[in-house]
Amino acid sequence: MKSLAELQAIKDRMRSKIVLREGTGEIRVVVGMATCGIAAGARPVLSAFVEEVNNAGLSGQVTVSQTGCVGLCQYEPIVEVLEAGKDKVTYVKMTPDKVKEVVEKHLKGGNVVTAYTVAGAN
């Protein structure tokens, strides 16, 4: 970085991602980021959700955030999707590639990707 203009450009690029994590959307996506989740790859999953939600134009409807231990370490990385008036959906063994499908089918289309849920993992 060589100037204040470059610093401002970086700030502007990152602003949408920060707001996305702190927003108050209708749908909440929560990624387990305890040590077991991070060790299993939760950090790239969180980043993929932030990016895919933003790319899909859902930043006004979907909030992406992180939490601590979810309690199912053997299924990490774990992602919970919470919507008012609906049962919580818990996705397990998530990867950045699976995130794209969950955003497209579940967050945009309203259809749970059951193959990636706790029930589908057994």
Side-chain angles (χ1 to χ4, degrees):
M1 186 168 19
K2 296 179 183 177
S3 69
L4 287 175
E6 287 181 67
L7 179 60
Q8 184 64 41
I10 292 168
K11 179 181 174 184
D12 293 341
R13 275 196 319 269
M14 298 308 292
R15 183 173 306 234
S16 65
K17 293 182 180 182
I18 293 169
V19 170
L20 184 59
R21 286 186 181 183
E22 297 173 351
T24 55
E26 301 163 10
I27 301 171
R28 286 182 47 221
V29 174
V30 182
V31 180
M33 292 286 288
T35 53
C36 54
I38 292 169
R43 195 174 313 275
V45 170
L46 176 67
S47 296
F49 264 108
V50 170
E51 186 175 328
E52 291 299 323
V53 165
N54 199 30
N55 290 345
L58 298 173
S59 59
Q61 301 163 332
V62 178
T63 301
V64 179
S65 61
Q66 62 187 42
T67 191
C69 183
V70 179
L72 299 168
C73 298
Q74 70 270 26
Y75 293 115
E76 291 287 358
I78 297 173
V79 175
E80 296 178 330
V81 177
L82 303 126
E83 297 180 70
K86 295 184 179 180
D87 290 337
K88 172 179 68 175
V89 176
T90 303
Y91 288 107
V92 298
K93 300 182 181 180
M94 288 298 294
T95 65
D97 290 334
K98 291 178 181 178
V99 168
K100 293 178 184 183
E101 188 174 352
V102 169
V103 169
E104 189 63 33
K105 291 182 178 176
H106 186 165
L107 302 183
K108 281 183 84 172
N111 299 310
V112 175
V113 185
T114 55
Y116 303 153
T117 64
V118 173
N122 293 323

